[in-house]
Structures are given as C-alpha cells and as structure tokens.
C-alpha cells in the first residue's frame, strides 16, 4: 500500500541516531551494535538516494534532507506511542529529569499527592547534575532545571524562586555558647554554570575564622545538619519537611539581617515534541500548585 516508504526498522534507527547525534549512542539505546546502526543508515540513504548524515571524525551531523526526515520521524513515532498507550489503556509513565537534591528532598516525598490526583500516570525520576539535551534524549519527558530562570527559553515554565536560609538541628544549637565555635556547612556546585552561593558571598568578608565544610550535593548538606554537624546554608524549599517536624530550625545567631536571602529558580522545561502533551502539562500544573512554599518562622 505504501511502496515508496523505507522499512520501519530503518526509520526507527535513523530517528535514534538523529536525536542523539551519534551512531554509538543510538546503538546503546536500541541495544544493537554501532555497525548495525551504520548499515541501517547506509541502506536508508541508498533507498532514498540522499545522504542523511555528514560523517565527521568524532560526530555525525544531519544534512538538510536528514533534518527534514528527522522532524517527520520524531512526530510520527511520538504519535504512534501515544496512540498505542491509548488503545491498550496502559498506564502512562513520565520520565522526569531533576537534580539529585530536588528529587531526594522535595519531588519524591511529594509524589504521593500527584498519584492521588492522577492515578493512571506513573513517574520515573532520573537524577543528575548535567544539563541534558532533552530534544535529543527521548528518555526524558520533562526536565526540572535549577538556576537563573531564562524567560526566553522555549517551552520553559517558571515554577518557584527559592530563598536561602541558615538551618541547624536544635540539639546542635543548644551546645553553642559562642558564634566563633560554629561549624558552617555549604554546597560546592558541581554545575559550573551556577554562580557561587556560599557563606563567603553571603557574609561578605565577615566569615572570619569560622570553619566551613563543603559538600557537592545540597541534600548532603541537609543530612549533615540533621546529624548535628553544623549550620547549613541551604534552600528553604528543600528543608520544608525538616522544619515542619522541627528536626531543623532557622538560625539567626551570626547575623540577624542575613537569616534569609534570595536564591535560584526552579523551572520546568518541556521538549518541543511534548509541548501539547496533556499528561506532562498536568504534571507541570501540579508542580506549580505543590511548590507554593509555606512560610516558616
């Protein structure tokens, strides 16, 4: 019925290679060898009479014809997947990419309220500090980004802007007789694009000789504070549960006017292929509502 169409398998291989910009990464996603990917692409190019990729030493780049075909395959395979899910009435699974700290300290503890509202949607959480290319990596349905919000970014939805505060365990504070004795805890960002947000910048030279201990994950800083190891400089958003249970309390001993300061923003970034996906838009709407941060004393 469609004699001019190439094989579905060849188009599937091409779609993966086009999205990922790599034959090797396409092979890993499809669980085949890079040689098999190369053969499928070559066969597809021969059947179309057009080159779809420019082969470079360390990369492959789409030609103009390849970009045209990639736009079509991306839309078609996405529509096909959504239709199959609808026909089989299977549970939809959203894969959410987020930083390790946000996932551990906020997202996972709040997911139960999402499931109560949307029982037919499962959520799989992928954590990491690297900034994924969500247009190419089709494993990711939605990315929750942390940093300075860029309103010009396509399909980006601002969620919340955090405040940064000083928090410690009550048992730790009870031991302090002099502020010079305190141990300060802070995060050393893995992501180099994030400006420093630490005790040195906050106190602006008033740090003196107080010791500072650094961790490369914000939730590690919070865990250290919970264990009574010092005073944490962390997001008020991520310590909601600890404050509610009074495992941590705000600390104002170093400088009363610096008990809280502005932090970075969280935003939801949707791949263009999912810009109208009802399940993803529902998840973003739920995030916005759930992230209305209550005030703590």
């Amino acid at each position: 019925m469609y004699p001019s169409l190439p094989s579905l398998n060849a188009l599937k291989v091409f779609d993966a290679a086009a999205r990922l910009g790599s034959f090797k990464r396409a092979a890993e996603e499809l669980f085949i060898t890079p040689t098999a990917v190369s053969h499928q692409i070559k066969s597809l190019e021969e059947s179309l009479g057009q080159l779809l990729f420019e082969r470079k030493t360390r990369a492959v780049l789409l030609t103009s014809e390849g970009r045209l075909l990639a736009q079509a395959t991306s839309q078609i395979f996405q529509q096909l997947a959504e239709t199959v899910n609808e026909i089989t009435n299977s549970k939809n699974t959203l894969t959410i990419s987020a930083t390790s700290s946000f996932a551990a300290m906020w997202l996972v503890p709040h997911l139960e309220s999402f499931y109560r509202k949307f029982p037919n949607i499962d959520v799989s959480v992928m954590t990491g500090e690297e900034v994924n290319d969500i247009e190419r990596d089709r494993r990711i349905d939605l990315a929750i980004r942390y940093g300075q919000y860029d309103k010009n970014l396509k399909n980006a939805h601002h969620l919340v802007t955090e405040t940064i505060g000083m928090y410690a365990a009550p048992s730790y504070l009870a031991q302090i007789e002099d502020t010079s004795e305190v141990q300060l805890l802070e995060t050393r960002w893995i992501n180099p694009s994030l400006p420093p947000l630490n005790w040195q910048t906050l106190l602006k030279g008033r740090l003196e000789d107080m010791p500072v201990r650094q961790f490369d994950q914000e939730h590690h800083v919070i865990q250290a504070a919970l264990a009574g190891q010092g005073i944490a400089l962390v997001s008020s958003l991520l310590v909601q549960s600890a404050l509610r249970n009074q495992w941590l309390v705000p600390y104002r001993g170093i400088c009363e006017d610096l008990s809280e300061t502005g932090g970075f923003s969280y935003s939801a970034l949707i791949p263009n292929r999912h810009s109208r996906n009802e399940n993803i838009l529902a998840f973003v709407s739920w995030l916005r509502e759930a992230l209305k941060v209550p005030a703590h004393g």
Side-chain angles (χ1 to χ4, degrees), residues 117 280-290:
K117 195 170 183 180
I280 293 173
L281 293 176
F283 188 83
V284 172
S285 179
W286 169 80
L287 277 173
R288 280 177 158 166
E289 183 64 28

Side-chain angles (χ1 to χ4, degrees), residues 17-43:
R19 280 188 289 102
L20 301 171
S22 165
F23 287 2
K24 181 180 179 182
R25 291 179 63 192
E28 291 171 353
E29 179 179 287
L30 298 171
F31 299 102
I32 58 178
T33 66
T35 301
V37 170
S38 183
H39 284 324
Q40 287 282 1
I41 299 297
K42 185 178 180 181
S43 175

Side-chain angles (χ1 to χ4, degrees), residues 252-290:
R252 297 180 174 87
I254 296 175
C255 187
E256 182 71 23
D257 63 325
L258 291 179
S259 60
E260 205 170 70
T261 187
F264 297 120
S265 294
Y266 286 91
S267 57
L269 193 60
I270 303 175
N272 192 51
R273 64 184 179 275
H274 289 325
S275 60
R276 297 183 180 181
N277 185 294
E278 292 183 0
N279 290 337
I280 293 173
L281 293 176
F283 188 83
V284 172
S285 179
W286 169 80
L287 277 173
R288 280 177 158 166
E289 183 64 28

Side-chain angles (χ1 to χ4, degrees), residues 67 175 198 223 278 296:
R67 287 192 296 272
Q175 303 171 14
N198 51 33
Q223 291 299 327
E278 292 183 0
H296 294 281

Side-chain angles (χ1 to χ4, degrees), residues 110-119 121 123 282-283 286:
H110 284 79
L111 275 179
E112 185 57 35
S113 70
F114 176 77
Y115 290 140
R116 286 197 298 269
K117 195 170 183 180
F118 300 97
I121 304 176
V123 175
F283 188 83
W286 169 80

Side-chain angles (χ1 to χ4, degrees), residues 146 161-165 167 187 189 197 218 222 232-240 243 263-264 266:
Y146 178 67
T161 298
E162 67 182 0
T163 55
I164 302 297
Y167 306 98
T187 309
W189 303 124
L197 192 57
E218 198 168 8
I222 295 171
L233 183 66
V234 290
S235 169
S236 58
L237 179 70
L238 301 187
V239 293
Q240 282 183 33
L243 291 173
F264 297 120
Y266 286 91

